[in-house]
Amino acid sequence: MQTTCNRESYALFRRKSTVLSRALFFGLPSKTDQKINTLKSSILKIGNLRNGSSQQEDHQPTVSALKASWNQVVLCYLLSPMLHAFNLIFCLLKALKVIAIPCIMVIAVFHSLCLYAQTPRKDSGVNGQRKYKLEGQVISAAEGTPMQGVSIYIENENLQITTSKNGTFELTVRNQRGKIKFSYIGYKSQEINYTSGVSMLVKLIPEDYKLEEVEVVSTGYQKIPKERATGSFEFVDNKLFNRKVSTDFVSRLEDVVPGISSSKVFPNNKGSLLNINIRGESTLNSDRWPLLVIDGVPYENKFADGGFGTFNNINPNDIENVTVLKDAAAASIWGAKAGNGVIVITTKKGKFNEKTNIDVNTNITIKDRPDLYAIPQMATSDYIDLMQYFFDKGRYDAYFDDWGTNLEPVIKLMKQEKDGNMTATQLNDELNRLKKIDIRDDFKKYIYRKAVNQQYNVRLNSGGDRVNTSIGLGVDQNRNELVTSSFRRLNLNTNTQIKATDKLLLNLGITYTESKATDSQIPVAYNALGKGISNFPYMELADAAGNPLAVDIAVFSQAFRDTVGAGRLLDWSYNPLKELDDSKRLQLNRDLLVNFSGTYVLPFGLKLHGLYAYQRNIGPVSEWRGIGTYSQRMDINQFASWDDKQVRWGLPVGDQLLESTWNSYTHQLRGTAEYSKKWNTHHDLSLLAGYDRRELGRDLRVSQYFGYNAETGSFQSVQFGKEVPYLNGLWGTNYLPDLNGFEKQLNRFVSYYGNGAYTFKERYIVSASFRKDASNLFGVKTNDRGQPFWSIGGAWVISKESFAKASILDYLKLRTTYGYSGNVNNTVSAYPTMSIQSYANSVTGQNFAMMTNPPNPTLRWERVATLNLGMDFSFKGNRFGGSMEYYDKRSKDLIAPTEIDPSTGFTSLTVNAANLHGKGWDIGLRGKPLQTGFWEWNSNLVFSYNRTKVTKAFLRSDVAQNNVNRSFSFQRTPITGMDLYSLLTYKWAGLDPEDGTPRGYLDGEISKDYVAIAGAKVTTLENHGSQVPLYFGSFRNSIRFKQVELSWNIAYQLGHKFIRPTFSNDAFLNYGSGHPDYQLRWQKPGDELVTDVPAFTYPNNANGSRMYVSSAALVENAGQIKLRDIQCSLELPAMSKYGFKSFRIYSYIQNVGTIWRANKKGIDPEFGSWYPDPLMCSLGLNFNL
Amino acid sequence: MKNLSILGLVLIVLSLSSCNKYLDEKPDIKMVIPKTLEDATLLMNDYTTLNGGYPTYGEIGTDDYYLTAERWNALVNLDQRNSYVWADEPYVDALQWQRPYRTIFISNQVLEILGKLTKDQNSDAYKRNFGAALFYRAFAFQLLTELHCSAYVEATAQAELGIPLRLDAGIDDKSLRSSLKETYQQIIADFKNAAIYLPVVEPIRGRPFKASAYAGLARAFLNMGDFQQAYLYADSCLQLHAELMDYNMLKATDAYPVPRFNVEVLFSANPASAAPMAATTALMDPELVGSYAMHDLRKGIFYRVNTNPAGTYFYKGSYDKGAALFYGITNSEVYLIKAEAACRTNKIDIALLAINTLLKTRWNKEVAYIPVTENNADRLLKIILDERRKELVFRGRRWADLKRLNLDPRFQKTLIRTVGDQIYTLPPNSAKYAYRLSETVIRLADIPQNNR
C-alpha cells in the first residue's frame, strides 16, 4: 500500500518527498450519495453471492487477454494439485454462512461511521455552476516520450477523452478539484487528484517497470525508503507473506528471509515459543527471541510462563507487510530490546479517498495423520522375546508377591504358565498374537486424525477525504491432529485514520483477539499416554471391533488392587480411550490492543508524533481432571485411609479443577519529533528524536477446586497442606496438595533516542543513532540502570555516479554500519534478595523464603555489537538483482553464571561474564530469467551462513559427561573457542571383539573404563562441529502463465551434525524403551566389523551404554534439501462480470518431500526424534468486492 | 495546535524528571530484600535448604555396608566411587561443601537482619530466629569439620587445619582455614549461644529448640574427647527432652517403619544423596546385622531382607520415613553419649541406666528385657560403643566415631573394601580420615588442601 502510494506521487508530481505517508493525504471529495450506494451494493453483493447477482463495476480488470470461461475454470480447478477439493466447496459454503452475518453487522456499523465522516464540504462544488479548465501532458516514465491515445476519465463529471499526438490533453470541468484517471495498455493506470489551473505532467509507468518502485521499510518508528537506508532491512511484502497458508504468522517468515533460522526439534516448543532466530543466538540466559513490534509498539510474544504464546494471537491476514531489522543501525532505535533482531509488523490500514471494498480470504488446510512410524520403536517380537529372557533369568522373581509392583501383562502370562495355570501352547499362542501388535497402529487409528484448519477472513476498507477505516474480522478454526486437541481464534481488527485538520492526523487502531486452545489435561500423544516411553509395544487401546480396552499399567499388583480397602475404594482400572474426554486443558487468551496516535505537522518541516498504546491480556488456563480418569481416581485412592468401619477420603471424591489466570498489561507512551529538510536539490537531512516510556505488568493467580462438579460449579472444602495418611499409612503420610499461587511482576522502561540521516546528491548517505535505555533493574544504582546504545552507518550509491552510468549494473549500493544493541534481563538483582515461595514447604507445611541472590552490585545490561557490510545491486533492467551482507556480531557482557568460592554458599554468581562471537553471510538474489507477454518466471535464492562461537564463558563443569550430547539433546557448549552448539561425543574405538561391549579411549588408549572416560576433561571429547545448520536458505521459483501462477520453494540446511538415536541397553532396562537397532546388535565375534550396536547384556554396565549413546559412532551429517512447498494460484478476471474486483483461487501444499538427505537412515534431523510435519494441502479463495 | 506541541514538550519534560522514581519499583513482588523479623522467620523456615544437603562422603566410606563389584561399577558419580574405596584422587564436585555453606550464609544473613532490629530483641520471634541461626551455623560447621578435619587432639588442635569460619553474610571476604581448635571453639560458642536463645518448645517441626543445642554441644564435646562436658550437656538435653519411641509401636513390615519428626528427633537433617548407600544398592555389613540380639526389634525395623544375593540385607530404617537418609540428632544418640561419657568418667550406674533406658524401648515387649549389668568400665564401654553402632546405622555418625575411636588403641579398626579382585584398606589414623577438599574449592577459594 505504502509502495503504491509513493509510486503515484512520484510519477505525477515528481515530488520525491521523503515523507512517504504524505501520499496518503492527497484526496478529493467524492459524492456522499455515491459512497452510500457503493456500500449498499456491497451489502447486496454479499447477500447474493451465491446467486451470482452482479453489479456493473467501474473498475475494469487491467488485463483483458484472458477471457476465461467457466470451462477453463473447471479445467484449471481439476488440474490444480489439490487433494481435497470437495471438502473445500463444502467448507466455503459453510464459511459464507458464518461470515455473512458478522459482515453485515460490521458493515452496518461502518455505514453509520461513514455517514458521519462524509458530510459534504462547503467547497465540494456540488451546486457549483462555474467551469474550470484542465490541461497537461502525459509522458512515459521509462523513456520520457509523450504518449498518444492515453485514456483519460473523470468519473465525477462523466468525462472521457484521449491524449493527442504529443501527449497533451485539455478538458473543461465543473469542479475546481477532482480525481482524474489515466490508463493505457501496458502501463499502470493512475488515478490522481487535480486542481484546475495547474498544468499537469503525468508520467505513466510501464507494467513491468520496477526501477522506480520504492521499497519502504519500517523501523517501527519511521518509514524509510530502502534506497536511503544504511542498515540491514529485510522486507517481506504482502504477496510473499501470503504465499504460505498458515494459522500463525511466524512460519510465513521461514525460508524467505535471509538470516532467519527456525528450530523444530523440540515438539513441545511448537506454539509455545517463537522458535525463530535472526542471525543466530546472541544471548545465553536472557530472552533469545526477536522483538516483535506491531504498528510501532513492542508486542510481548508471551505473557504466561507456560502454554501457548501470545504471538499466536496475531492473525496473518491482518498483516500488510513485515520488515526484519537485522543489524545495529536498523535495530538501534529499539536499543536494549534489539539484541536478537526485530520483526516489525505493519497491519492493514484504510486509505483516504478509497472506494469501499470488501476483501475476503478463506482457506482450508488438511494435514495428513502424522507418520508415527518415523519414531523408532523396537519390534514387538524382539521386545517380548527379551521379556521372556528376563523372566527366565529371574529378573522379576522378587516382585511377584510385591504389592507395590505391577508386572506387565506378558510377564504375568509367563508366570501363569510357570505355575501351571496355562499350557505352554496357550502361552505361545497368546505371545504370538501379541507379537503382531504394534502400539502405533492403535495410536494412529484412535488418537490421531487428519488435522483440518479452516481460516476465514473478511476485511472492509473505506475512505473519504477526512476519515478512512479498515475493519477486519478473522476466524480460525483448527481441528488438530490429536483427537482431543483443537484451536480457535477470533480476531477483530479495526484501524481508523482521521484527518482532524490539514496538519493533524489521528490514528486509532483496536485489535481484539480471543483464542482458545483445547487439549486433554492428561497427555494422550504417542509416548505420552500411560507410561509414556515406557509403554509396552504390544499395548492395545481397542479390540478388533473398536471397543476401548483397559490397559494394565497400574502401580500396584492385581492382588493388592483387588483387596485393598475391601473394595470400597475407587476403581483402579485404566482405559485410555474411554477417558479421552474426561480431562481437559483449556487455555483462553483474550487480548485487547489499543493504539492511539496523532501526528502534527508544523510548517517548517517538523513533525510531532505522539502515541499511546495499551494492551490487556487475560490468559486463564483451566485444567480439569474428571473422576473418569485413572490418575484422578489414583490420587483420591492414595489420599484415602480406611478401617473396617469406614473409608475416610483425604481428597473429596469428584473432579479436580485448577485455574491459573495470567493477567497482563502494557502501557506504552511515546513522543517523537521528526524533522526533514531538502535544500539545493543536493542535500537531504532527516532527524528524529523521542522519548518512550513502557510499563509491563503481569500477575498470576492459581486456585484449585476439589470435589468439583462441572455441571453445578460446586466444590468441596479441603484442608490444603494438611498432613494425612498416604495410602492408609502404607506410604506413610503426605500433605494434601496445595497448588494455590500468586505471582506479580512489573517491568518499567524509560528510553531516549535520536537518529539522523544525511544524504548528499542522492548517493552519499551517512546515518547515526543514539539511544539510552533504563529500567527498574533491581538494586542497581540509579546511574547504572541505563545503558547507552549507538550506531553509525554510511552508504554509497555507486550507480548514481557519472562514471558508473555506462556499467552493466543498473543499481549498485555499498553500505556499512556499526553499533550496539542490547538484551534486557530484569530477573537479576544487585541486592541480596530472597524470594518468598508461593507454596508451603512440603515437609514442614510452613511458608518460607529462599535466598536467591547474594549481593552483586556490578550488574549491567548485555550488549551486542554488530558490524554489517552490505551491497545491493541490480542489472539487466532490474531483472536480476539482490543483496549480499556480511556481519560480525559480538555479544558482550552476557549475563551468565560464573564460578565463585563455594564457601560463600553459592557455586556460581550471575554476572556479566560471557561473550559470544557470531559471523555470517546473508545473501538474497532475485532474477527474472523469462518475461514475455504471457510468461513470467521469477527466481529467488536465499543463502545464509551463520556461526556463533563462544569467546568467553564460564563452564559449569569441565567434565566430559556433563558436556557430551545425546541424540537431539541440543546441549549448549559454552566453552571458550567452541561453537555455542558444538556436538561433542566420546571417541569411539568400536566394539570389543571378545564380547561386543563398547570401547572408548582413555588417555589415547582403547579403554573400557567407562567411568574414567566419562569423568575425563571435556577436552578429551571429539568435537564434530555445529549442531545447528551453518548454511541454510531456500530457492524459490515462480512461473506465471497468463493468470496462472505456480511457485515452489526448496529449502536447505547444511553443515551441521547430529547423533542418531539407537538401542541402549541401559534405556531399555530402565525404561523399557527400545529401538530397531536392537536387531543390529553384536551377537557373535566378527559382528564388530559390521555393527557398532553393543551386545545386549543383562545385567548391564549402565556406564558403557551411556558412553555408547553419546559416542562418535552415532554421528551423522544433518544436511538436507527439501521441497518445502508448492503454491498454485489462478486469477479469474472473468469474475468481474459478477462484480468482483479480483478473484483468485489458490492451493498450497506444504512439506512435500525430501530431495536430498545426507543421512541414509531415514531420519529427518530437522524434527529430531519426533515425527516430521506431515503433508499439508490447502485450498483457498480470495476475492475483492 | 501550537498548544498541543507545547503540551507534548511539557509532558516529555515531566516524564523525564519523574524518571528515577518511576524506575524504583521492583520487578517481582516476591523479590524482597530481607530486613524484617518476619523475613528472618521465613528464611529460617527454608527447611529444604537449611536441613538438607549435608556432606555424606564420610559415611560412604564407613564399614556399615559394602557394595558388590557390579553395583560399584554401575555408580556414575566419580567422587562417590572414589570415596567408597578412600581413593586419594582429586575430587571435583563442590556441592557437598557449598550446601552446608549455604546454610551458613543464610544463618549469617538472618543474624545480620536481626542485628539491625535491636528494638525487637526481647520478642520471642527474635530469640527463636537468633538461636536457630546460631544453631544452624554450628551444625553445618560441625558436619564439615567431622568430614574434612582430622580427629581432635587437644595438644595438637591449634596446629591442625580446621575449616573456613565464615561469619558474615557477604561474599567478598576471602576464605581462610582456621585451626581445628578455633573451629571447635566457634562451634561450641555458637551452640552455647543458641541454647540461650532457643525456646524449650518449638512448635514448628524441623527447627531446633533448646535441647537440640545441648545435644549439639554433647556431640561436639564427645568428638573433642571432653567427656566431662559431653556428659553434662547430654544430661541437660535429656532433662528437657527425654522421650524415646517404643519400637513395639512400629510396624517392621512397613517399607519405612520409622515416622518422620518422631518424639526422639531433636533436629532433623538430611545428607546430599549418596548413590552407594541407596536403599537397593548398599548391602549391610553381615557382622553388624548379625550382632543384634534375637529379640532386638531394631533388626526388623532397620533392615530389609534381600534375595539377590541371598541372605543379604538392605537398610530401611531412616528417621525421615523414606529413602532419604537421616543425619540429624535424636534422643537415642544423646542417651548413648550420656552412657559413654558417664562410663568414661566412671559413673557406671548412670551409664547403665542410660543404656538400659534406651535398649528397653528397642526390645520386643513379648519377651522380658535382659538389662545390661556389666560393671567393668572397659567392658561396659565396649558394650556401649557396640550399641552405639547398632543404633546409629546410616545416621552420619560412623565416620566421626571411627575417626575419634582410632585415637584409642583399644578401638582401632582397619577398614577393608573388596571390589572384584581389588582390595583397599584404610588403616587407623590415616590422613585420609580428613577427607580431601574438592579441587574446585581449593582452586576458587584458594585455601590449602589437607595434608597427604
Side-chain angles (χ1 to χ4, degrees), chain A residues 502-520:
Chain A
D502 287 345
K503 292 186 174 127
L504 180 66
L505 177 73
L506 299 175
N507 187 91
L508 175 65
I510 301 173
T511 306
Y512 179 73
T513 307
E514 194 162 318
S515 68
K516 181 166 117 182
T518 312
D519 287 288
S520 58

Side-chain angles (χ1 to χ4, degrees), chain B residues 72 78-91 424-426 432 435-436 452:
Chain B
W72 185 75
L78 195 63
D79 292 351
Q80 295 191 356
R81 282 162 68 95
N82 282 336
S83 54
Y84 178 75
V85 294
W86 319 291
D88 199 23
E89 295 285 330
Y91 291 85
Y424 304 88
T425 54
L426 182 67
K432 291 180 186 173
Y435 199 89
R436 268 184 100 101
R452 279 288 173 268

Side-chain angles (χ1 to χ4, degrees), chain A residues 955 957-965 971 973 975 984 1018 1021:
Chain A
L955 186 61
S957 158
D958 63 352
V959 174
Q961 61 179 340
N962 295 332
N963 293 287
V964 84
N965 266 272
Q971 177 152 344
T973 47
I975 303 166
L984 302 182
V1018 67
L1021 294 171

Side-chain angles (χ1 to χ4, degrees), chain B residues 347-359:
Chain B
K347 301 185 197 58
I348 303 292
D349 291 348
I350 295 174
L352 283 172
L353 181 62
I355 195 77
N356 282 321
T357 312
L358 172 68
L359 292 181

Side-chain angles (χ1 to χ4, degrees), chain A residues 153-190:
Chain A
Y153 179 61
I154 301 177
E155 193 189 340
N156 285 4
E157 318 246 339
N158 209 9
L159 278 172
Q160 188 158 10
I161 58 159
T162 52
T163 50
S164 65
K165 203 173 179 179
N166 58 359
T168 56
F169 60 91
E170 206 177 306
L171 281 161
T172 312
V173 290
R174 291 196 305 276
N175 299 321
Q176 192 180 3
R177 292 189 184 82
K179 247 183 189 175
I180 182 164
K181 187 171 172 178
F182 301 86
S183 43
Y184 190 76
I185 289 176
Y187 286 76
K188 287 176 182 161
S189 42
Q190 289 182 357

Side-chain angles (χ1 to χ4, degrees), chain A residues 664-861:
Chain A
S664 324
Y665 70 87
T666 59
H667 289 290
Q668 172 92 35
L669 190 68
R670 172 178 306 162
T672 58
E674 204 178 335
Y675 177 77
S676 57
K677 173 125 179 134
K678 284 186 81 156
W679 67 97
N680 287 349
T681 69
H682 281 337
H683 309 277
D684 191 336
L685 177 72
S686 89
L687 299 168
L688 177 129
Y691 169 79
D692 265 31
R693 196 176 232 210
R694 178 172 170 80
E695 175 172 317
L696 192 157
R698 60 173 203 167
D699 61 60
L700 167 71
R701 279 137 218 249
V702 186
S703 41
Q704 55 182 354
Y705 306 94
F706 286 94
Y708 172 77
N709 183 328
E711 273 170 32
T712 59
S714 60
F715 59 94
Q716 294 175 40
S717 68
V718 172
Q719 281 181 286
F720 299 130
K722 185 188 169 197
E723 189 176 10
V724 293
Y726 202 41
L727 201 66
N728 207 26
L730 284 167
W731 276 349
T733 60
N734 204 339
Y735 294 84
L736 293 176
D738 186 355
L739 306 168
N740 290 322
F742 181 86
E743 277 178 33
K744 193 171 180 184
Q745 283 135 26
L746 178 77
N747 283 309
R748 284 177 168 172
F749 301 93
V750 171
S751 326
Y752 323 85
Y753 45 85
N755 70 28
Y758 169 72
T759 308
F760 178 63
K761 280 189 160 178
E762 293 184 321
R763 65 193 79 152
Y764 309 109
I765 308 155
V766 288
S767 72
S769 72
F770 174 84
R771 172 157 168 147
K772 173 142 177 158
D773 280 286
S775 84
N776 58 336
L777 187 60
F778 197 43
V780 176
K781 276 180 274 155
T782 312
N783 291 338
D784 295 339
R785 271 186 190 139
Q787 179 93 301
F789 302 99
W790 55 268
S791 79
I792 48 168
W796 179 26
V797 186
I798 300 176
S799 51
K800 295 235 166 157
E801 297 288 356
S802 51
F803 62 79
K805 289 282 186 233
S807 107
I808 56 152
L809 287 171
D810 298 326
Y811 182 74
L812 179 65
K813 177 178 163 190
L814 299 179
R815 53 191 161 80
T816 176
T817 64
Y818 181 77
Y820 281 91
S821 49
N823 289 315
V824 173
N825 187 342
N826 269 16
T827 59
V828 290
S829 162
Y831 289 138
T833 55
M834 65 178 202
S835 135
I836 300 169
Q837 302 302 304
S838 41
Y839 52 90
N841 184 282
S842 64
V843 175
T844 64
Q846 295 294 315
N847 290 318
F848 69 105
M850 293 174 85
M851 284 306 297
T852 38
N853 274 69
N856 184 12
T858 57
L859 272 179
R860 59 198 183 278
W861 276 353

Side-chain angles (χ1 to χ4, degrees), chain A residues 76-263:
Chain A
C76 289
Y77 195 82
L78 289 174
L79 286 175
S80 81
M82 271 308 305
L83 300 174
H84 307 284
F86 286 110
N87 251 327
L88 172 91
I89 294 164
F90 175 75
C91 282
L92 284 182
L93 290 175
K94 202 168 128 192
L96 283 171
K97 219 191 281 174
V98 173
I99 288 169
I101 296 166
C103 248
I104 291 168
M105 282 171 64
V106 169
I107 290 163
V109 172
F110 182 67
H111 196 130
S112 45
L113 189 76
C114 281
L115 270 176
Y116 162 77
Q118 306 302 322
T119 315
R121 283 168 43 167
K122 275 180 195 158
D123 63 344
S124 63
V126 175
N127 303 313
Q129 297 302 316
R130 284 189 59 186
K131 304 269 185 200
Y132 300 98
K133 208 171 120 193
L134 193 60
E135 58 176 19
Q137 190 190 21
V138 181
I139 59 168
S140 158
E143 292 94 24
T145 51
M147 294 172 67
Q148 186 191 0
V150 175
S151 151
I152 299 170
Y153 179 61
I154 301 177
E155 193 189 340
N156 285 4
E157 318 246 339
N158 209 9
L159 278 172
Q160 188 158 10
I161 58 159
T162 52
T163 50
S164 65
K165 203 173 179 179
N166 58 359
T168 56
F169 60 91
E170 206 177 306
L171 281 161
T172 312
V173 290
R174 291 196 305 276
N175 299 321
Q176 192 180 3
R177 292 189 184 82
K179 247 183 189 175
I180 182 164
K181 187 171 172 178
F182 301 86
S183 43
Y184 190 76
I185 289 176
Y187 286 76
K188 287 176 182 161
S189 42
Q190 289 182 357
E191 192 172 37
I192 56 170
N193 303 322
Y194 70 80
T195 311
S196 67
V198 182
S199 178
M200 303 170 80
L201 179 66
V202 180
K203 279 186 173 181
L204 281 191
I205 304 167
E207 285 280 358
D208 60 342
Y209 194 71
K210 292 274 163 57
L211 190 62
E212 298 299 327
E213 228 179 288
V214 180
E215 221 170 55
V216 179
V217 292
S218 169
T219 65
Y221 283 87
Q222 274 175 300
K223 290 196 164 61
I224 309 172
K226 205 175 173 190
E227 246 186 19
R228 213 159 302 150
T230 56
S232 175
F233 296 89
E234 295 289 346
F235 183 74
V236 181
D237 67 9
N238 194 273
K239 184 161 188 257
L240 179 56
F241 188 75
N242 283 320
R243 200 184 148 267
K244 277 193 189 179
V245 177
S246 67
T247 311
D248 68 321
F249 86 97
V250 184
S251 60
R252 300 196 184 194
L253 301 177
E254 289 171 11
D255 300 326
V256 297
V257 181
I260 284 194
S261 55
S262 60
S263 87

